[in-house]
Amino acid sequence: MTHLIAIGGSDAGISAALRARELDPATEVTVVVADEYPNFSICGIPYYFTGEVQPWQSLAHRTAADLEATGMRLRLNTYATGIDVAGQRLEVRNPDGQIEELAYDELMVGTGALPSHAGITGLDGLGPEDGVHVIHSMGDTFALDRDLTDRQPQSTIIVGAGYVGLEMAEAFTVRGLRVTQLQRGSEVLSTLDPELGALVRDEIEAHGVEVVTDTTVTGIEKTPAGLTVTGTHRGEPIQRTADLVLVVVGVRPNTELLEQAGATLGAGRAVVVDEWMRTGLPHVWAAGDGIITHHRLLGVTYLPLGTTSHKQGRVAGENAIGGDARFAGSVGTQVVKVFDLVAARTGLRDHEAEGAGYAAMTTAAAADDHKRYYPGAHPIQFRITGDTRDGRLLGAQLVGRRGTEVSKRVDTYATALYAGLTIEQISDLDLSYTPPLGSPWDAVQVAAQAWSATRASLLV
């Protein structure tokens, strides 16, 4: 009987454990979880703070009882401290602080990522008890919730305006806090072109959020006036003070365990794996936010996404018990809801495509989500990127009102990227149509046709 140990109670670890048990119920599966909250949706945390998701237990994809009902064994509040690769043993620290060694036949490491501090001084010495927070785990969630309840802060500074930063700006606004958002880039949501990021910025500013872009935060300190954040804004010193500070400036791969075991680090200092999720260490697999990403357009990169972690974990779990599954690769499809606006992207932006050697061209277009004569139509703003040499689709960006099905429309482009379609071929897709929901040429096709027309004019 094979004994598989999966480290990590989030997307990758649980997906690996579930897949192994699904394919071979005789496989003994142990999941080592550093806290007591296995299989919780970290992506859902902002909606707990808006009050849309209650109680917090609702964030569990599956309860511990649900997981154990599949036949796996959970070791909660148990921290993996070392891997004896030659002896096929995992060293763990139990809840009582005692060190124990667990024998395994196969080991899957899904230790994920850790919040980045981006070199901000003072951050290491300040924590939730001071009003300085990150939001990366259920423990972080409870700490922030207690702080909001106990101190009743009136103002907050969010350092970072990516996906989580924007979602939390909405959550704090709903809770009645004055929100200031500091962003390093020239626009919020730097994964979009600035023209579309500006639309997102307009949306959050319309809801009372103060946005300060082109700002590099260098320090946070506790002062008599509150928590003071210092940095530079377009080369000039800047200082803001609030009752609470949330730092959401990205993540870094949590690689210490595998690195000490001898694994190789690659892009973004993430652990190198192949498409089968093999680490190169015998009987050791890895998946999730701690490893490199195989991108269908870029090759090897680092792009931590929950959807990717689920897929990689499933591949690792299958192969750990003798399968031959391969991770098909990512195209970086992402979506976020910000108040009443939805922004999404997939594939590459112009500069990313140029850097990868494509002859990239990006065009802008706008198209209604459904026929204008039917009430409630709203425009969707598009930016389409393709290769002018062969017409291949390289990427798409969309921003539209909630209800315009931006998330599903970006999925059409993601599917086209996966299939290697040209932009012209998108016009050939047989997409659904009824006036309340679409048009004979869907909005995704209208945007594609605008790109093709621009390309054709250049070839004349």
Side-chain angles (χ1 to χ4, degrees):
M1 179 188 301
T2 299
H3 182 205
L4 167 66
I5 296 180
I7 304 173
S10 193
D11 302 338
I14 297 298
S15 292
L18 288 171
R19 184 58 171 166
R21 289 292 303 167
E22 175 188 358
L23 293 177
D24 184 6
T27 300
E28 183 182 350
V29 176
T30 300
V31 184
V32 174
V33 185
D35 59 20
E36 56 185 299
Y37 307 104
N39 213 200
F40 270 70
S41 174
I42 303 305
C43 296
I45 290 173
Y47 311 108
Y48 169 70
F49 284 107
T50 64
E52 295 167 286
V53 175
Q54 293 288 336
W56 63 264
Q57 289 89 344
S58 302
L59 291 170
H61 294 300
R62 301 169 186 82
T63 67
D66 292 335
L67 294 169
E68 290 177 330
T70 69
M72 69 178 71
R73 182 187 181 195
L74 299 178
R75 295 286 299 265
L76 304 181
N77 292 309
T78 301
Y79 193 81
T81 55
I83 303 170
D84 176 359
V85 176
Q88 291 178 236
R89 302 183 74 82
L90 176 69
E91 182 184 270
V92 299
R93 185 174 65 244
N94 289 321
D96 60 5
Q98 297 298 307
I99 299 298
E100 180 183 359
E101 287 193 340
L102 307 177
Y104 64 83
D105 297 305
E106 304 292 335
L107 179 68
M108 207 299 291
V109 181
T111 47
L114 299 170
S116 173
H117 287 179
I120 300 173
T121 60
L123 196 54
D124 289 334
L126 295 171
E129 65 280 1
D130 305 297
V132 178
H133 298 266
V134 295
I135 192 78
H136 193 68
S137 68
M138 291 307 297
D140 298 333
T141 302
F142 299 139
L144 178 55
D145 199 29
R146 283 193 301 271
D147 197 11
L148 291 170
T149 301
D150 295 345
R151 289 199 303 124
Q152 296 286 309
Q154 300 300 302
S155 60
T156 182
I157 294 170
I158 301 177
V159 182
Y163 292 88
V164 177
L166 292 170
E167 290 166 343
M168 288 304 297
E170 177 177 353
F172 285 143
T173 300
V174 169
R175 298 281 288 256
L177 280 75
R178 297 189 307 276
V179 180
T180 299
Q181 195 138 30
L182 306 180
Q183 166 74 339
R184 180 188 293 268
S186 62
E187 268 304 345
V188 304
L189 203 58
S190 58
T191 54
L192 295 182
D193 286 349
E195 295 86 344
L196 297 186
L199 301 178
V200 180
R201 176 178 179 169
D202 290 344
E203 178 71 8
I204 61 174
E205 287 183 331
H207 285 82
V209 177
E210 180 193 6
V211 179
V212 186
T213 55
D214 296 312
T215 300
T216 300
V217 172
T218 56
I220 302 173
E221 62 177 324
K222 203 169 182 179
T223 66
L227 291 160
T228 299
V229 176
T230 56
T232 58
H233 171 60
R234 297 174 184 167
E236 297 296 325
I238 187 174
Q239 180 174 295
R240 289 288 193 277
T241 299
D243 301 328
L244 183 148
V245 173
L246 176 67
V247 180
V248 278
V249 290
V251 297
R252 54 190 171 87
N254 182 11
T255 60
E256 182 179 3
L257 191 67
L258 280 170
E259 187 178 4
Q260 289 181 350
T264 301
L265 301 186
R269 291 193 57 78
V271 170
V272 173
V273 297
D274 62 16
E275 295 167 82
W276 290 266
M277 302 295 108
R278 296 179 297 206
T279 64
L281 303 175
H283 306 286
V284 179
W285 315 77
D289 290 353
I291 69 167
I292 57 99
T293 304
H294 295 95
H295 194 289
R296 293 179 71 87
L297 298 173
L298 289 177
V300 172
T301 186
Y302 179 61
L303 183 59
L305 293 171
T307 48
T308 301
S309 295
H310 279 284
K311 296 178 180 71
Q312 292 171 337
R314 181 179 172 90
V315 168
E318 181 168 337
N319 292 340
I321 62 169
D324 189 31
R326 296 175 65 177
F327 174 55
S330 168
V331 291
T333 308
Q334 301 165 283
V335 65
V336 63
K337 183 193 82 69
V338 185
F339 291 101
D340 296 316
L341 206 66
V342 178
R345 66 160 288 178
T346 189
L348 307 180
R349 293 162 60 193
D350 201 87
H351 71 281
E352 295 165 334
E354 289 284 358
Y358 296 102
M361 180 182 75
T362 298
T363 61
D368 289 339
D369 68 310
H370 64 260
K371 291 300 293 183
R372 181 157 289 276
Y373 61 71
Y374 187 90
H378 293 284
I380 303 172
Q381 302 296 325
F382 293 85
R383 288 183 68 83
I384 306 300
T385 302
D387 193 314
T388 57
R389 293 172 300 196
D390 58 10
R392 178 184 177 185
L393 176 69
L394 297 176
Q397 304 167 61
L398 297 73
V399 173
R401 307 308 297 176
R402 188 178 184 185
T404 57
E405 301 298 338
V406 163
S407 65
K408 293 299 101 182
R409 284 184 158 106
V410 79
D411 288 346
T412 301
Y413 290 119
T415 303
L417 285 171
Y418 187 95
L421 298 186
T422 65
I423 295 178
E424 191 67 36
Q425 286 174 319
I426 293 173
S427 288
D428 297 332
L429 295 176
D430 185 16
L431 303 180
S432 64
Y433 162 58
T434 185
L437 302 174
S439 299
W441 292 112
D442 189 79
V444 301
Q445 295 172 310
V446 173
Q449 290 165 0
W451 187 93
S452 295
T454 301
R455 179 188 181 226
S457 69
L458 296 176
L459 296 176
V460 172

